[in-house]
């Protein structure tokens, strides 16, 4: 080969690479245009066409598809529509799997007689071949009239689904003596499996370079149209005609959510219609129609129950929390009404979010209680850790009145807890501490410290420490256990609360009947229905820690109901006192500490509460550490104090460098390079706020550290990983200063000082005009950033060209590659067995 490639070879290689790049660019542009343009835009235009309510919109639909008005807004709205339709499709498939594997409700199967030969086969092994109705398969869930108790968790598995499968097989054999239908079904299953193996995400989306994705685009557009028509258009118009006919149109329009409420009304009427038609089909013995109508009713029923439990219930909790806390913020219902009218969507979302958080933490606390209390104490609450608990199966099998009763009980329980732990403490605080409330939640722009800085400090420093689940959860669990032990010995309910294994009097009689108070039956196999089960579908997997399950016997003392009432009263008083402490102590501590820093300026209570919580957390953490050291003796304590003192001093030094100097320099550099050139004109002097620059620098430093850890291996990533691996207990001050702090601070100082020396020292010495001098001082930082970026891009392109050069050379002149043995000791030339050249 020549020592250098000819120009024509380089040009040919460049043209080939450019052609390949252009071909890929056109293909991926087509893919992006199809999935991000055609699909969402088509869904949005069809959606608008169906809901305009005029025939002319259907006639002009082809022209509307080609319209270029509001392209971006329609594409975004279409993406939301496509997401909803895909979620609906996935939910339908998943619900079908739940019905197939969990079994259909009894009312859906009870009118379907089994074939005689299958009934005889099912009855013969059991020795009961009296008549065909006895072979009726047992339902997967108990019948509605016997559903006061859920199915026992340790009961033998129900065989209802397996007689179902045999009946289907027998029916298929009777329908086709030659088993043609069965063969077709098996063939279709094999074809579907083969198609599923061949269909990957790259092939489906078109990222493999083929044009097969165009067919998938067509099917997605068709699926969107079908789902919009079936699941949105029809229920909406059914509800609309019903609302107009009943004269409720004005009330629905006043809610600001006319479309949503109208659609839900349509679904409710559709469910009523389906169940009536199902009963009529059962009466006239139309088995296929009856089953189809029943399955459609189950789909609508489960959808409505999901909306109620995940949407309506948290929304009710959020609004009730807001109403009960109005006096805490010096607000009125009129203020909430005005905010709702000004932004109804945002207001409802915020209240739903608050309610969701409340229900989440309530469910988490219940799971923590189960780890402390005796199994069986919380018999009235469903155990979310129960492997047999399936909320979707309950939605399928349980009747509507059961779900309605649970919903009402959940609202009562959650609402009563809000009254006890929020409304009543606020009233007591206003009486005992008249000047403490209301909380200040207004933002003041004239504060000496920026609100943005405090928010960043709160998010980056305070909340990560407060949300440390390990210690906080253990402390809360310890407090709950201490309270339980105290209440148990005061009221002689230790055996009832904690069980016989922790009671010294193990020989006392136990309650063999396993009856809870108030005469409610309670066995290990039959826990009664849950009371506080709002959002059980969404929280069935919250904090899946192991805990005691089942039921344990306990000693039942005299006057047991009266002691239970005293226990409930004691619990209510404890919750009230705990709520008073949580509402006052952190805010009072934070206000006192902030007064040394901010003076008499008013500040948002979010920051005072966070500051107080942080100080309380540090105090409790230190107290627990000291209590853990006390049994080890004075010598060990002094040695531990010395070790922790040195560790704290090292941590302070590292914090000053890594969390103080580096973020300050980084924030100041960001201010000079990006913020000041964009915000401050040349005829004005920029003002710098070190505190705000430091807060922004903390955020930037965390982002840079996260990107570095996710990127390729280089010296900064190696150092950061080593620092993380050592932790605070094994902190290496010398390593951090020499390998991390000194290099980073040096680079940042050079980035700040070199441009300043050039602009303020070199440029005036040259003798330029004052305007040019000001321009250089203000624009030298972004100019140098641009120069560094161009140099980086240029070096990257040079490396890419070298790789392309080698690739062209190898493609044209490389014949093959051979692996040879390297014999170091012998003076002979390296030899290799004969082999065919392997091309690269």
């Amino acid at each position: 080969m020549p020592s250098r490639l000819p120009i024509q070879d380089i040009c040919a290689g460049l043209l080939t690479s450019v052609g390949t790049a252009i071909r890929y660019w056109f293909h991926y542009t087509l893919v992006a245009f199809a999935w991000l343009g055609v699909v969402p835009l088509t869904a949005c235009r069809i959606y608008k066409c169906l809901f305009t309510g005029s025939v002319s919109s259907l006639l002009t639909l082809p022209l509307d598809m080609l319209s270029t008005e509001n392209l971006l807004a329609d594409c975004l709205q279409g993406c939301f529509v496509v997401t909803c339709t895909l979620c609906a499709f996935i939910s339908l498939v998943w619900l079908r799997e739940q019905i197939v594997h969990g079994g259909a409700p009894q009312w859906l199967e009870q009118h379907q007689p089994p074939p005689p030969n299958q009934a005889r086969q099912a009855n013969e092994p059991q020795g009961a071949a009296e008549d065909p109705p006895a072979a009726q398969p047992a339902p997967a869930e108990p019948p509605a009239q016997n559903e006061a108790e859920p199915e026992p968790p340790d009961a033998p598995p129900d065989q209802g689904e397996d007689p179902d499968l045999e009946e289907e097989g027998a029916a298929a054999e009777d329908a086709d003596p030659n088993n043609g239908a069965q063969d077709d079904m098996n063939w279709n299953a094999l074809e579907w499996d083969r198609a599923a193996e061949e269909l990957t995400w790259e092939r489906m989306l078109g990222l493999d370079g083929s044009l097969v994705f165009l067919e998938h685009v067509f099917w997605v557009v068709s699926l969107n149209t079908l789902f919009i028509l079936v699941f949105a258009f029809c229920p909406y118009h059914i509800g609309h005609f019903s609302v107009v006919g009943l004269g409720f149109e004005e009330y629905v329009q006043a809610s600001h959510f006319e479309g949503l409420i109208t659609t839900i009304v349509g679904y409710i009427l559709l469910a009523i219609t389906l169940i009536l038609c199902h009963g009529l089909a059962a009466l006239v013995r139309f088995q296929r129609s009856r089953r189809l109508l029943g399955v459609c009713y189950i789909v609508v029923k489960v959808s409505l129950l999901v909306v109620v439990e995940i949407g309506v219930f948290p929304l009710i909790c959020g609004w009730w929390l807001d109403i009960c806390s109005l006096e805490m913020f010096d607000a009125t219902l009129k203020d909430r009404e005005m905010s709702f009218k000004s932004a109804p969507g945002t207001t409802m979302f915020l209240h739903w979010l608050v309610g969701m958080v409340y229900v989440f933490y309530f469910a988490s606390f219940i799971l923590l209680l189960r780890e402390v209390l005796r199994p069986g104490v919380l018999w009235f609450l469903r155990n979310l850790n129960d492997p047999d608990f399936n909320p979707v199966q309950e939605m399928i099998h349980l009747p509507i009145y059961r779900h309605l009763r649970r919903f009402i009980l959940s609202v009562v329980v959650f609402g009563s807890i809000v009254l006890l732990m929020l409304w009543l403490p606020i009233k007591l605080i206003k009486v005992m501490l008249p000047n403490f409330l209301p909380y200040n939640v207004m933002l003041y722009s004239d504060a000496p410290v920026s609100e943005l800085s405090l928010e960043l400090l709160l998010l980056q420093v305070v909340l990560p420490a407060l949300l440390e689940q390990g210690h906080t959860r253990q402390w809360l669990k310890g407090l709950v256990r201490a309270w339980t032990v105290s209440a148990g010995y005061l009221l002689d309910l230790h055996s009832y609360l904690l069980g016989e294994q922790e009671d010294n009097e193990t020989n006392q009689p136990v309650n063999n009947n396993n009856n809870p108070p108030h005469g409610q039956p309670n066995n290990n196999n039959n826990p009664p229905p849950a009371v506080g089960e709002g959002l059980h579908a969404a929280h069935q997997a919250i904090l899946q820690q192991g805990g005691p399950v089942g039921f344990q016997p306990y000693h039942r003392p005299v006057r047991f109901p009266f002691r239970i009432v005293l226990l409930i009263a004691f619990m209510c008083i404890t919750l009230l006192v705990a709520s008073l402490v949580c509402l006052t102590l952190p805010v009072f501590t934070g206000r006192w500490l902030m007064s040394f820093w901010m003076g008499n300026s008013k500040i948002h209570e979010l920051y005072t509460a966070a500051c107080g919580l942080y100080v309380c957390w540090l105090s409790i953490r230190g107290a627990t550490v000291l209590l853990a050291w006390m049994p080890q003796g004075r010598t060990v304590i002094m040695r531990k104090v010395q070790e922790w003192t040195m560790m704290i001093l090292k941590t302070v030094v590292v914090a000053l460098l890594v969390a103080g100097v580096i973020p300050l320099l980084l924030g100041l550099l960001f201010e000079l390079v990006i913020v000041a050139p964009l915000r401050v004109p040349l005829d004005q002097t920029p003002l710098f706020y070190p505190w705000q620059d430091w807060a922004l620098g903390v955020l930037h430093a965390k982002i840079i550290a996260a990107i570095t850890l996710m990127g390729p291996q280089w010296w900064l990533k190696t150092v950061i990983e080593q620092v993380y691996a050592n932790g605070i207990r094994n902190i290496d001050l010398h390593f951090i200063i020499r390998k991390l702090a000194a290099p980073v601070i040096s680079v940042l100082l050079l980035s700040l000082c070199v441009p300043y020396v050039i602009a303020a020292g070199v440029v005036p010495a040259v003798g330029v005009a004052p305007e040019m001098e000001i321009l250089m001082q203000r624009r030298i930082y972004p100019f140098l950033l641009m120069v560094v970026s161009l140099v980086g891009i240029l070096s990257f392109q040079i490396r890419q060209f070298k790789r392309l050069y080698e690739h062209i050379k190898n493609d044209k002149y490389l014949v093959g590659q051979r692996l040879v043995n390297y014999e170091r000791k012998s003076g002979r030339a390296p030899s290799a067995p004969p082999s065919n050249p392997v091309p690269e």
Side-chain angles (χ1 to χ4, degrees):
M1 61 173 291
S3 59
R4 294 182 179 180
L5 287 179
I7 298 299
Q8 59 269 20
D9 291 345
I10 296 177
C11 293
L14 284 174
L15 289 177
T16 303
S17 300
V18 170
T20 304
I22 292 176
R23 181 169 61 86
Y24 277 108
W25 182 81
F26 272 115
H27 179 79
Y28 289 125
T29 301
L30 180 62
V31 170
F33 175 74
W35 289 113
L36 301 179
V38 174
V39 172
L41 194 63
T42 304
C44 178
R45 299 288 166 85
I46 293 176
Y47 182 85
K48 289 183 177 180
C49 171
L50 291 175
F51 283 91
T52 51
S54 61
V55 181
S56 61
S57 62
L58 294 175
L59 300 177
T60 60
L61 180 59
L63 297 178
D64 293 337
M65 291 289 187
L66 303 176
S67 177
T68 57
E69 297 181 357
N70 301 324
L71 281 179
L72 182 60
D74 288 350
C75 285
L76 293 177
Q77 185 178 358
C79 289
F80 178 74
V81 174
V82 171
T83 303
C84 292
T85 54
L86 289 179
C87 291
F89 176 74
I90 295 172
S91 301
L92 280 178
V93 175
W94 183 66
L95 184 60
R96 175 190 174 276
E97 295 297 323
Q98 291 289 326
I99 295 176
V100 169
H101 293 291
Q106 185 191 14
W107 56 266
L108 189 62
E109 303 289 351
Q110 61 186 356
H111 297 289
Q112 184 176 359
N117 57 347
Q118 188 67 23
R120 187 166 53 254
Q121 294 175 5
N123 288 331
E124 284 175 358
Q126 299 176 3
E130 287 82 0
D131 46 14
Q136 180 74 19
E141 296 287 335
Q145 61 270 18
N146 295 327
E147 284 177 345
E149 308 288 335
E151 188 176 355
D154 54 352
D158 199 349
Q159 304 297 326
E161 181 179 350
D162 298 333
D164 286 343
L165 296 178
E166 291 177 1
E167 287 177 12
E168 291 178 2
E173 292 177 0
D174 293 341
D176 190 356
N178 297 324
N179 292 334
Q182 188 70 21
D183 294 340
D184 291 341
M185 186 174 63
N186 293 335
W187 181 83
N188 290 333
L190 294 176
E191 290 296 323
W192 278 106
D193 292 340
R194 187 179 299 111
E197 291 178 358
E198 295 177 356
L199 186 62
T200 60
W201 281 106
E202 290 80 8
R203 187 172 182 83
M204 185 179 69
L205 298 177
L207 301 179
D208 60 343
S210 65
L211 298 178
V212 183
F213 76 96
L214 295 176
E215 180 183 357
H216 304 152
V217 170
F218 170 76
W219 283 111
V220 170
V221 171
S222 304
L223 183 68
N224 284 332
T225 306
L226 178 64
F227 273 67
I228 291 171
L229 186 66
V230 174
F231 293 100
F233 178 80
C234 294
Y236 173 80
H237 283 81
I238 292 174
H240 177 70
F241 294 144
S242 303
V243 168
V244 172
L246 296 175
F248 295 149
E249 188 175 8
E250 296 181 359
Y251 300 101
V252 174
Q253 291 179 353
S255 65
H256 298 278
F257 293 94
E258 178 184 3
L260 179 61
I261 294 178
T262 303
T263 305
I264 292 177
V265 171
Y267 271 107
I268 294 174
L269 295 176
L270 187 62
I272 297 174
T273 304
L274 286 172
I275 197 64
L276 291 177
C277 293
H278 172 270
L280 182 62
L283 188 62
V284 297
R285 298 183 182 278
F286 290 167
Q287 298 299 331
R288 291 188 177 179
S289 301
R290 180 194 63 81
R291 184 172 180 82
L292 178 62
L293 292 170
V295 171
C296 293
Y297 167 74
I298 291 175
V299 171
V300 177
K301 169 191 171 184
V302 172
S303 303
L304 289 174
L305 289 176
V306 169
V307 170
V308 169
E309 293 201 356
I310 300 182
V312 177
F313 182 73
L315 192 62
I316 293 175
C317 292
W319 275 107
W320 185 238
L321 282 166
D322 191 10
I323 292 173
C324 292
S325 62
L326 287 176
E327 295 185 6
M328 188 166 61
F329 303 107
D330 195 19
T332 60
L333 287 175
K334 190 68 175 178
D335 299 333
R336 296 294 181 261
E337 182 181 359
M338 293 176 61
S339 64
F340 173 74
K341 289 182 178 179
S342 61
T346 304
T347 304
M348 296 296 280
F349 173 75
L350 290 178
H351 285 82
W352 174 85
L353 184 63
V354 171
M356 182 72 82
V357 171
Y358 167 56
V359 176
F360 173 84
Y361 280 105
F362 181 86
S364 303
F365 185 72
I366 294 300
L367 289 176
L368 186 141
L369 287 179
R370 289 189 181 277
E371 297 180 10
V372 176
L373 299 178
R374 176 188 60 85
V377 174
L378 301 177
W379 56 270
F380 49 88
L381 292 176
R382 177 59 57 90
N383 187 6
L384 302 183
N385 284 331
D386 186 2
D388 297 327
F389 172 60
N390 192 334
V392 178
Q393 290 295 328
E394 291 189 351
M395 292 181 184
I396 293 174
H397 290 87
L398 298 185
I400 287 294
Y401 77 89
R402 289 282 301 275
H403 293 287
L404 182 62
R405 185 180 66 182
R406 288 182 175 181
F407 179 77
I408 295 174
L409 290 176
S410 300
V411 170
V412 172
V413 170
F414 279 76
S416 302
I417 293 174
V418 172
L419 285 176
L420 178 65
M421 300 190 65
L422 190 62
W423 181 81
L424 187 57
I426 292 174
K427 292 292 185 181
L428 294 177
I429 291 174
K430 291 181 71 68
V431 173
M432 296 185 295
L433 301 172
N435 298 326
F436 186 79
L437 294 177
Y439 288 163
N440 177 39
V441 292
M442 301 297 295
L443 297 178
Y444 295 93
S445 59
D446 57 346
V449 178
S450 173
E451 298 286 348
L452 177 62
S453 304
L454 290 176
E455 288 178 3
L456 292 175
L457 181 64
L458 172 67
L459 292 175
Q460 303 297 324
V461 179
V462 177
L463 286 184
L466 294 179
L467 296 179
E468 185 186 358
Q469 293 293 331
H471 296 295
T472 306
R473 195 173 187 279
Q474 292 300 322
W475 295 343
L476 185 59
K477 185 176 179 180
L479 289 176
V480 170
R481 186 172 185 82
W483 183 91
T484 306
V485 172
S486 303
Y489 279 112
L490 285 175
L491 300 175
D492 194 16
L493 293 175
H494 185 270
S495 175
Y496 173 74
L497 294 175
L498 295 174
E500 287 293 333
Q501 69 274 12
E502 298 191 15
D503 197 345
N504 294 328
E505 300 175 359
T506 55
N507 297 324
Q508 294 191 14
V510 297
N511 179 14
N512 295 323
N513 295 326
N514 295 339
N515 292 328
H518 311 296
Q520 296 290 336
N522 182 19
N523 300 320
N524 183 24
N525 299 332
N526 289 311
V531 175
E533 270 198 346
L535 282 183
H536 62 238
H539 298 116
Q540 61 171 323
I542 296 175
L543 297 177
Q544 292 285 351
Q545 284 94 352
V549 294
F551 178 81
Q552 293 180 1
Y554 60 93
H555 164 64
R556 185 163 184 160
V558 295
R559 298 180 180 178
F560 184 72
F562 178 69
R563 296 176 186 272
I564 293 296
V565 172
L566 291 180
L567 177 67
I568 295 175
F570 187 33
M571 179 189 66
C572 292
I573 295 173
T574 305
L575 292 176
L576 178 62
V577 173
S579 180
L580 284 171
V581 172
C582 293
L583 289 176
T584 55
L585 182 60
V587 175
F588 180 79
T589 306
R591 287 178 181 177
W592 179 69
L593 291 174
M594 285 286 190
S595 63
F596 295 102
W597 183 17
M598 305 278 301
N600 296 326
S601 301
K602 290 186 177 180
I603 192 170
H604 203 290
E605 297 294 352
L606 176 64
Y607 312 120
T608 59
C611 179
L613 280 174
Y614 194 49
V615 172
C616 295
W617 180 84
L618 288 177
S619 303
I620 296 174
R621 180 78 176 128
T624 53
V625 170
L626 288 177
L627 289 176
W629 289 348
M630 287 182 64
Q632 301 179 11
R634 181 178 177 181
T635 305
V636 176
I637 292 177
M638 294 303 296
R639 181 166 52 83
K640 292 284 188 180
V641 168
Q642 292 178 359
E643 293 176 359
W644 276 71
T645 303
M646 290 299 299
M647 185 185 67
I648 291 173
L649 291 177
K650 292 180 181 180
T651 306
V652 169
V653 174
V654 172
L656 289 176
L657 294 175
V658 178
V661 178
I662 292 179
L664 178 61
L665 296 178
L666 191 60
L668 184 59
L669 183 63
F670 182 80
E671 183 87 13
L672 290 170
V673 174
I674 304 295
V675 178
L678 294 177
R679 295 181 57 182
V680 184
L682 290 175
D683 57 349
Q684 296 181 4
T685 302
L687 298 177
F688 300 101
Y689 299 95
W691 172 256
Q692 186 170 352
D693 292 338
W694 173 81
L696 290 173
V698 171
L699 179 61
H700 296 152
K702 294 192 70 172
I703 295 174
I704 292 173
I707 295 175
T708 302
L709 291 175
M710 292 187 297
Q713 196 72 30
W714 59 306
W715 70 269
L716 184 59
K717 180 180 180 181
T718 304
V719 171
I720 294 177
E721 289 177 345
Q722 184 63 40
V723 172
Y724 271 115
N726 291 338
I728 296 180
R729 293 181 180 271
N730 300 319
I731 188 170
D732 190 347
L733 182 61
H734 182 264
F735 176 80
I736 293 176
I737 293 177
R738 185 169 55 91
K739 295 292 186 179
L740 180 62
V744 174
I745 292 176
S746 300
V747 171
L748 292 175
L749 285 176
L750 288 175
S751 302
L752 289 169
C753 296
V754 171
Y756 180 79
V757 170
I758 295 174
V762 178
V763 173
V766 177
V768 299
E771 293 80 7
M772 180 58 67
E773 184 179 345
I774 294 175
L775 180 64
M776 287 294 296
Q777 292 177 359
R778 300 287 297 278
R779 297 294 184 260
I780 188 170
Y781 287 97
F783 174 75
L784 290 181
L785 175 64
M786 182 181 64
V787 170
V788 172
S789 302
L790 289 177
V791 171
I793 294 173
L794 184 61
S795 62
F796 175 75
Q797 294 300 329
I798 291 174
R799 289 195 301 269
Q800 292 297 108
F801 182 77
K802 289 181 178 179
R803 293 178 58 187
L804 178 62
Y805 182 88
E806 292 294 328
H807 180 71
I808 295 172
K809 183 175 66 174
N810 293 334
D811 285 346
K812 188 170 182 63
Y813 297 103
L814 182 64
V815 176
Q817 290 180 342
R818 180 181 300 174
L819 179 65
V820 297
N821 294 328
Y822 178 68
E823 300 179 1
R824 186 170 184 177
K825 293 183 178 180
S826 62
R828 297 174 300 173
S831 60
S835 61
N836 295 327
V838 181
E840 184 181 13

